[in-house]
Structure formats: structure tokens, C-alpha cells
Amino acid sequence: MSEQNKLEVEKPIPSPEQKELWGSDAIAAMLRELDVPYLALNPGASFRGLHDSLVNYLGNERPQMLLCVHEEVAVSIAHGYAKASGRMMGAVVHSNVGLMHASMALFNAWCDRAPLLLLGATGPWDAAKRRPWIDWIHTASDQGALVRDYTKWDNQPGSVPAALEALLRAAQIANTAPRGPVYINLDAAVQEAKIGALPALPDVQRYGPGKSPEPPRELLGQAARLLSSAKNPLIMAGRCSRSLDGWNARVRLAEKLQARVVTDLKLAAAFPTDHPLHCAPPATFLGPEAAQAIREADVILALDWNDLAGTFKQAYGAEPARAKVINVSCDMHVHRGWSMDYQGLPPADVLLLTEPDVAVPLLLDACLSRPMPVKALPDRKALPTPSEVSILAVAQALERAAGSSEICITKLPLGWNGAYRQFRHPLDYLGGDGGGGVGAGPGLTIGAALALRGSGRIPVGLVGDGDFLMANTAVWTAAHYRLPALLVVCNNRSFYNDEMHQERVAKDRARPADNKWIGQKMIDPDIDIAAIARAQGAEAIGPVTKIGELQDAVERGLEAARSGKVAVIDARVLPGYDANLTPAASPPAASARGR
Ligand SMILES: Cc1ncc(C[n+]2csc(CCOP(=O)(O)OP(=O)(O)O)c2C)c(N)n1
Ligand SMILES: [Mg+2]
């Protein structure tokens, strides 16, 4: 971590030089060797040894701690940091209960294939060393079992040398594609044992993650021949990195092949959405234009597309995929039995078991130019000018307020239509929460703010009111650590997604759909979101109820973020998802269930 990335708060008074060290000092030193920049945490006695080492042995830098009011926020901050930077940071949570609080956010990171080091604690595992009562409820016989099904690896090291090795292995596994969270459970007795001097620490360079392999030449050749001779190739750009080189290589490949491209709103920006070859607004479920592009394609290059089989089902119905499929993905290396986040089993005529960033430059070299331009799809309808505060109105106000300045959309509300905004850079949009866990948006935004600090690019999270209210204390962490960000709460005063479910069920059963709001709407009293934000030190704006006030509110919010503050706007948007604005936004049958 460079000096520039240091947060200028919470500086400890220096500790005296000491000959005697403790186990957690060695563990903290190893975290520094691994270049873990930050640890988001909520404290707990089970890791008081480590906490002391971070503050008094390392001086609270490299790694630097970020206090969070809830473990779910701590983990989603680490997740958001990884989304924006591609880098792993850490989170630390208390034994049992802290891990339980953290678990949903960990599941989100798992589904999103985000590298994340989660540290926890237990014990003392040696029952003879346990204090009465409290140490017993801080000890579980297999704490890792709580999260094992959605972590790549977990471990409870029994000694300091074992802990050092566990950290090395954890970092290596988390950062090897497909990436994901890992969990290390540090025994309180190991943390708190005297160890004398610091042991020699291993050379971390020798234990780094491997690079994803290049596919065999023969398979690359097959893929290149298929693409070069295709009549109507399509690239489905899915889970791709934030690398600008990777982005440019995808653009060059699409142009060389004159291939149409589709992207996914659940995932981060993967291709310029206003490029003439990008043929449909990114969507959560397949829209009609994208479905048509799939049906018309004779060769499809899928770049780690999320749910390729389910997407084909939306395009082809019960028929098997008609196109020849080249699938670039190594995701199957993390497919496990418990969670079905691996989705349906996709067909592949050529399977390139690697990451898009590795395969695309090789395909670019191996493919021949295909000069014939692809058939243009029908023009999209222009966006209307809203007369009331709505998600579209927020999108348009943000477009005007941001102008040509760089912002990073860290989260979008469920009612967003992919046609509302163009993405032209890998950091223009960071994608969804991964696992569908509501309560991710604020933490993801603040984690991205941590990663983007000093870059000049302002993180902007457009979050639902439900999403905000579940995890709003991320605002305090941002205010305390001076992390600039703008959160626009698209506040329909409801868990509206589920109102729509109740409406559908009621209609199916010929019952009154007008009751759909019961048990869903957060009204009487309305929740004062601006007051919640203000109470935590944010620049709070709103409630914005009139369209005439919206532009000014968004401009003020963005300006506050530019000046280094966290700003929160309570935008009272109309309930209703803009699902019929463009054909792409009215998804077919599968979407009828929403999330
Ligand atoms: C932790 C969690 N609880 C419940 C759900 C079910 N759920 C999906 S969307 C949604 C509504 C979210 O409300 P809000 O963020 O306000 O978005 P809106 O639907 O109102 O646009 C709910 C409750 C979920 N996905 N995750
Ligand atoms: Mg809502």
C-alpha cells in the first residue's frame, strides 16, 4: 500500500520496542508481507490479540483497519474493493456471531467470484485455557462449516507457523481464477501465546497465485476457424476483468470479426455499450433484442457469461442452442454441491478453460478479419422525459450532473433499465451484488470508494431503499474514514420487487392484487433516510419529492462527493419498474419471477 492510500485517521501512539512478541504479531506481520492493504472489521474479544497487534505492533498501517458497525458491511466493503480494484483486502469478524452476521455478504462475494480474505477467531480451542462462559460460546467445533459451502478454502491453524502458511495458501487460493473468498479461523490461544522473536517470514513471491493457462493451440485453432468463417458471430461478454488492456482487446476482437456483442447488467461493464456492435442494452434477464441476436448467431463466443445455459433457454426455448458455442470459462473449477450458483450446464463445441483476458488476445491473433458488417438491429425507442421523480429521472439528472467527468456506478437498483446509461470504460459500472443478497449496495459502494480514492473517479451507488436500510451504517464508515462517494437511494418506500410477486400470485389465484403492498411498504411512518444519513455524518439531501428539485439535488450530491464527502440523496421515486421502456427491458417468461 502506498503512502497515498493511507487513511489519515486513527493513528495510534507509538508502542515501546519490545523483545517479547505474541503469536498475533507474527500473523499481523504476515498480513503486511502479503500486502493486504485494509481490514474492514467489527471488533470481538476472540481476536483481541490480533487487534492489538494490528494497532500496537504494526501501528495500524499496512494493513489499516476500517471499523464497521455490522459484519455484513465489513465483508461487502471488502467485496466492493475487490470489484473496483481486482485486489484482495481483508475483513475480520468475531467468532460465531460475527461470522453469522458476515455470512450473507460472503455468499454475495462467492457468487461474484471476488477475492476476499475473511479472518475470524475461536477458542481458545484448548478447553483448559478457556475462561468460563464467554470463551465457551466463542468456540465452535467446526466454525468454518458455517461458510465452507461458499468459500474456496477455510482453515483453523493450530500454531503460529501453521497460521503463516494458512495465510499464504489463503491468499494464493483467493487470487487464483476463479477467484473467491477464503476464511481463516485464528485460535485465540495461538494469537495470545508468547513467541519470543518474530519468526523468519516466508518470501511471499514464491507462493503467489498462478496465471490462468493458455488454452491448447489445437482448441484455439478450432475456435479461431469457427469465428473467422462465421456468417453472424456473437460475443457474449460476461465476467471480465477491470483491465483496460483486456477491454481494448475485446473491442478489437469484436471489430476484427464484425461480431455483435451483448453484455449483462448483473456483471461489471465488459464492452462499450454505445459501440455500434453492442446490440442490446445490458439487462438482468435477456431482452428481445439480445434474444434475437442469439437466435441469429451461427457462432457464439461466450466470455465467462453468467448462466449461459439459462440464457440459451431464454433465447431458444426448449430447443438446443443452434449456434456453435465457444465457451471461455474456468468457472467449473469452483462448482460445488451445496450452492447452485453454477447455474445450468451449458453446451460447448469448443471449451477454453481459462479467463477471457487470457483467451481474447490469443483469439485476436488467431482469427482472420471478417469484413462483412453485421446486420443492424432495429433502432431503439428514445427515452421519454419523466415528469415525476423516477429511476429514469435520477439517471437523466446524473447524466447531466456528471457530464464528461468520470464516475463509477457501483450499484444499480432493481428497476434500472440498461438503456438508461452508457458504459464506456471498465470502471464505469461494477455490476451487481453476485448472490442476490439485498443489503449489499452501501458496502459495495464504500468498498469501491476505498479502492478509487485519489483516482478522480467518483463512486456513485444507486441503491434501493430496502438495500440502503439493511446496511446503511456503511455511511458512517465512509464518513469516519473520509471516503468520498455518492449514494442515491431510489426510495419507493417499499420492498417493491416483492409487491410485484404478490401481485402476480394474487392474479394467478383471482384474489385482490390491490393488497400487494401489505407487508411490503415502508410507510406510516415514512423512514427519513436523509436523517439516517445525516446522523452518521453524511451530506444528506432530501427527501426529493418533486422533479424540479432532482437536478439540483444530484448536482449537490456529486459536488459533495467531489469535495471528499460521503453524500446520500433520498430520491422518492415512483414505485414501478421501467420494464417496458425498450423491448430489451421486457424479459420473457423466466423473468416473471423477478429475483
Ligand atoms: C437479504 C435478502 N432479503 C430478502 C430478499 C428478497 N428481495 C429481493 S428484492 C427485494 C426488495 C428490495 O427492496 P429495495 O432495495 O427497496 O428495491 P425495490 O424492489 O423496492 O426496487 C427483496 C426483499 C433478498 N434478495 N435478500
Ligand atoms: Mg424499494
Side-chain angles (χ1 to χ4, degrees):
M1 181 171 63
S2 71
E3 283 297 304
Q4 194 207 339
N5 293 333
K6 225 161 84 178
L7 304 167
E8 294 301 326
V9 285
E10 297 186 340
K11 291 181 189 161
I13 53 166
S15 297
E17 274 293 316
Q18 285 175 318
K19 288 224 171 64
E20 185 65 73
L21 295 184
W22 277 263
S24 55
D25 293 337
I27 292 167
M30 191 70 218
L31 292 169
R32 179 174 283 178
E33 287 300 305
L34 286 166
D35 204 18
V36 174
Y38 305 105
L39 292 170
L41 58 81
N42 184 264
S46 58
F47 68 91
R48 63 185 190 176
L50 179 65
H51 197 118
D52 171 71
S53 298
L54 293 166
V55 174
N56 288 320
Y57 182 61
L58 292 188
N60 195 23
E61 57 180 73
R62 298 182 299 130
Q64 185 165 15
M65 56 176 71
L66 282 96
L67 176 58
C68 300
V69 183
H70 195 293
E71 290 83 353
E72 191 169 284
V73 168
V75 173
S76 55
I77 284 179
H79 179 187
Y81 181 87
K83 279 169 94 70
S85 66
R87 283 192 61 195
M88 179 189 81
M89 64 170 263
V92 200
V93 297
H94 191 27
S95 64
N96 297 352
V97 285
L99 187 61
M100 290 170 189
H101 261 185
S103 60
M104 184 205 79
L106 200 62
F107 180 69
N108 275 343
W110 161 264
C111 293
D112 207 24
R113 309 294 183 246
L116 192 155
L117 174 64
L118 183 63
L119 300 175
T122 191
W125 183 241
D126 178 354
K129 295 200 172 114
R130 271 176 226 156
R131 294 174 295 158
W133 178 61
I134 190 70
D135 278 348
W136 291 76
I137 54 175
H138 282 169
T139 309
S141 63
D142 183 8
Q143 204 178 162
L146 276 174
V147 295
R148 187 162 300 137
D149 289 312
Y150 40 97
T151 44
K152 281 188 80 183
W153 185 67
D154 71 279
N155 191 243
Q156 184 180 317
S159 66
V160 169
L164 304 188
E165 181 172 319
L167 287 170
L168 273 178
R169 192 192 302 271
Q172 185 179 56
I173 291 175
N175 287 309
T176 299
R179 294 169 189 82
V182 287
Y183 172 64
I184 303 289
N185 183 7
L186 300 166
D187 184 351
V190 172
Q191 297 175 58
E192 297 192 20
K194 286 188 174 179
I195 58 165
L198 186 70
L201 296 176
D203 175 2
V204 296
Q205 301 306 327
R206 303 181 76 187
Y207 302 92
K211 269 186 75 177
S212 285
E214 294 191 355
R217 279 166 157 270
E218 180 201 331
L219 292 184
L220 262 178
Q222 279 178 28
R225 277 192 296 282
L226 278 172
L227 287 165
S228 307
S229 59
K231 289 206 168 50
N232 207 359
L234 174 73
I235 297 175
M236 300 175 69
R239 217 180 259 127
C240 295
S241 77
R242 296 310 87 219
S243 145
L244 195 53
D245 286 347
W247 175 276
N248 290 335
R250 288 190 291 279
V251 173
R252 284 205 298 278
L253 181 64
E255 289 174 351
K256 188 169 188 183
L257 293 170
Q258 281 298 304
R260 285 175 177 162
V261 181
V262 290
T263 54
D264 180 348
L265 203 58
K266 298 189 289 303
L267 301 173
F271 197 86
T273 52
D274 57 353
H275 191 289
L277 290 168
H278 190 267
C279 66
T284 299
F285 297 98
L286 204 64
E289 289 161 314
Q292 186 185 338
I294 290 175
R295 281 192 298 269
E296 288 179 2
D298 57 342
V299 178
I300 289 176
L301 173 64
L303 300 177
D304 211 5
W305 186 262
N306 187 3
D307 192 14
L308 190 57
T311 306
F312 284 161
K313 218 174 195 176
Q314 292 172 73
Y316 295 116
E319 300 289 312
R322 279 195 297 278
K324 291 275 183 207
V325 179
I326 302 157
N327 192 12
V328 178
S329 175
C330 56
D331 202 56
M332 65 180 65
H333 291 313
V334 287
H335 294 174
R336 313 255 299 270
W338 181 80
S339 161
M340 309 282 147
D341 66 279
Y342 49 71
Q343 312 287 338
L345 183 65
D349 299 286
V350 183
L351 178 59
L352 305 181
L353 263 176
T354 190
E355 292 182 273
D357 275 7
V358 173
V360 168
L362 297 170
L363 288 170
L364 186 58
D365 278 349
C367 286
L368 304 174
S369 289
R370 231 191 45 90
M372 36 187 156
V374 289
K375 201 170 77 181
L377 286 163
D379 278 349
R380 287 171 211 148
K381 279 192 229 158
L383 299 170
T385 304
S387 55
E388 289 179 87
V389 181
S390 64
I391 295 177
L392 173 60
V394 168
Q396 294 183 346
L398 184 64
E399 184 80 35
R400 285 188 291 265
S404 58
S405 70
E406 288 184 335
I407 64 171
C408 171
I409 303 287
T410 55
K411 187 71 172 59
L412 288 171
L414 293 172
W416 184 267
N417 183 297
Y420 286 176
R421 191 175 175 82
Q422 304 296 342
F423 307 131
R424 305 184 177 97
H425 184 278
L427 285 174
D428 276 358
Y429 174 51
L430 298 183
D433 48 40
V438 173
L444 291 178
T445 302
I446 302 314
L450 186 60
L452 295 172
R453 217 169 57 99
S455 72
R457 188 179 279 270
I458 301 296
V460 180
L462 307 179
V463 297
D465 47 324
D467 197 21
F468 179 81
L469 288 164
M470 283 194 196
N472 66 79
T473 58
V475 167
W476 178 83
T477 299
H480 181 67
Y481 294 97
R482 319 282 189 265
L483 300 174
L486 171 61
L487 280 164
V488 185
V489 182
C490 297
N491 180 6
N492 51 22
R493 294 173 294 155
S494 174
F495 292 99
Y496 186 74
N497 175 71
D498 292 82
E499 282 196 53
M500 296 195 299
H501 282 295
Q502 297 320 125
E503 182 176 333
R504 275 176 214 122
V505 172
K507 280 184 179 159
D508 278 355
R509 298 177 179 183
R511 292 172 182 172
D514 285 350
N515 288 332
K516 65 178 183 178
W517 62 277
I518 294 176
Q520 307 277 0
K521 268 206 190 309
M522 290 177 273
I523 51 172
D524 190 20
D526 281 2
I527 300 176
D528 189 344
I529 282 177
I532 291 175
R534 193 173 300 115
Q536 299 180 75
E539 180 86 11
I541 301 167
V544 180
T545 55
K546 298 191 185 73
I547 185 84
E549 299 164 354
L550 185 62
Q551 187 65 42
D552 180 57
V554 174
E555 269 160 31
R556 274 170 52 214
L558 208 51
E559 205 36 57
R562 283 197 191 106
S563 75
K565 294 185 186 145
V566 55
V568 178
I569 302 173
D570 176 0
R572 294 284 170 93
V573 300
L574 291 176
Y577 286 1
D578 196 0
N580 296 314
L581 186 71
T582 70
S586 52
S591 71
R593 295 189 58 78
R595 349 199 317 169

